[in-house]
Amino acid sequence: MEKTNHGFDRREFLKGTSAIAGASAVGTLAPLGLARAQGAKLRVGLMLPYTGTYTPLGVAITNGFKLAVEERGGKLGGREIEYFVVDDESNPGKAPENTNKLIQRDKVDVLIGTVHSGVAMGMAKIARESGVLWLNTNAGADDVTGPLCAPNIFRTSFSNWQTTYPLGKVLKAKGYNNAVFITWKYAAGEEMLRGFREGFEKEGGKLTKELYLPFPQVEFQALLTEIASIKPDAVVSFFAGVGAGKFLKDYAASGLKGKIPLYGNGFLTDGVLEAIGDAAEGVETTLHYGDNLNVPKDKAFRLAYAKAWKLQPDVYAVQGYDAGQLLAAGLDAVKGDISNKAGVIKAMESAKIDSPRGAWTLSKAHNPVQDIYLRKVVGNQNVVQSVAWKALADPARGCKA
Ligand code: BEZ
């Protein structure tokens, strides 16, 4: 019996998923299947935030994905693309309904998205049940490539753990023994905090305080006052999108900048620097991308992205772009026949992605194994200082791969 990376019986898995597809398309499956085999458009569902604090992230992912498609003549695996778009509003409560809009109503062949970990948890359940191929382009929820890992679920971004675990070593090497972590209270913030604590404690550091506010609130003042009274060696944070810009400005305005060093994973400073003047100057972060990587692929990508969208790319654009590249690898292998799901999955599992972030491969749980960089804000750029962790793989705790 052929096994996937996950130890699932591949034939059983595919049989199960086609049964579900059949149930939702009674009477139309055979002609539809034939039409698709003959080169109908590939139905791609984009489920991303286009309103709220994560809007710039959703837009950058969309732009990156579409750029990868355009570089292939508007086709993947030789098939033209038809897009179906849902604004998920970064609202976990609407995740099942929104995912089902794309899967059941629009009958997408592949699901692309999302940003918010809570929304991704809702998508994961439905992706597992339906068997529809899902490329997660940002949301770091550890469980998605942990206990919820599945043959049809791939991630082109990171796990939440991956982005903060290396920070512990970075801070300890700089001589900091204690730190306070401040973030939004939801899966991403909590898992990133845990990743940092694990890495920091391993080095002998101590996380002395966890400070939370509800997502997507930006009333930071009371918590900044608390930090001032605690006087930790360093502050570590996760915020992203519009909220991250506001946090950086408030941290500087509160007088803490220059007194207590601020760190974070790179979502704190990626895609926000142009809007906030010099409020983040000197802030150091860890992430799987930076603005001056000096890799040929990155130079070409940055030029192409700026030309296509009149914008500078960021980490989110790269993750969207790499989703296009990974999907192309899968579809090229089966000449666009996505009904050959086993063939698509096999090709994606073994792909080596020539990414603007540097080449990466997938772990058995389908999460990128990638270098994590230490970056420093200089002007409008996240300038890479060093590789904080070479080829870091998420531990994939709970994944029966
Ligand atoms: C998350 O919810 O997983 C997330 C959102 C924004 C940036 C990074 C992670």
Side-chain angles (χ1 to χ4, degrees), residues 326-390:
L326 181 62
L327 187 55
L331 288 170
D332 284 349
V334 297
K335 299 194 170 45
D337 178 11
I338 200 163
S339 69
N340 179 358
K341 200 172 284 180
V344 175
I345 289 172
K346 192 163 170 230
M348 284 171 57
E349 282 174 341
S350 57
K352 181 170 181 189
I353 300 299
D354 181 16
S355 169
R357 73 184 92 167
W360 57 268
T361 53
L362 283 163
S363 68
K364 282 192 172 177
H366 294 175
N367 191 66
V369 178
Q370 55 195 338
D371 293 349
I372 305 293
Y373 305 103
L374 175 65
R375 314 108 47 86
K376 185 181 199 157
V377 174
V378 181
N380 278 349
Q381 295 221 305
N382 287 289
V383 178
V384 173
Q385 309 291 296
S386 59
V387 176
W389 212 290
K390 187 87 194 140

Side-chain angles (χ1 to χ4, degrees), residues 54 57 115-118 138-141 158 160 186 188 192 238 240 267 316:
Y54 287 162
L57 289 61
V115 166
H116 186 287
S117 277
N138 184 75
F158 54 88
N160 289 327
Y186 81 98
M192 289 167 181
F238 160 66
F267 309 113
Y316 311 107

Side-chain angles (χ1 to χ4, degrees), residues 8 20 25 31 80 177 183 199 226 233 244 246 260 288 377:
F8 278 62
I20 290 164
E80 285 178 9
N177 295 315
T183 186
E226 201 173 337
D233 286 354
K246 168 85 166 47
I260 304 176
H288 47 285
V377 174

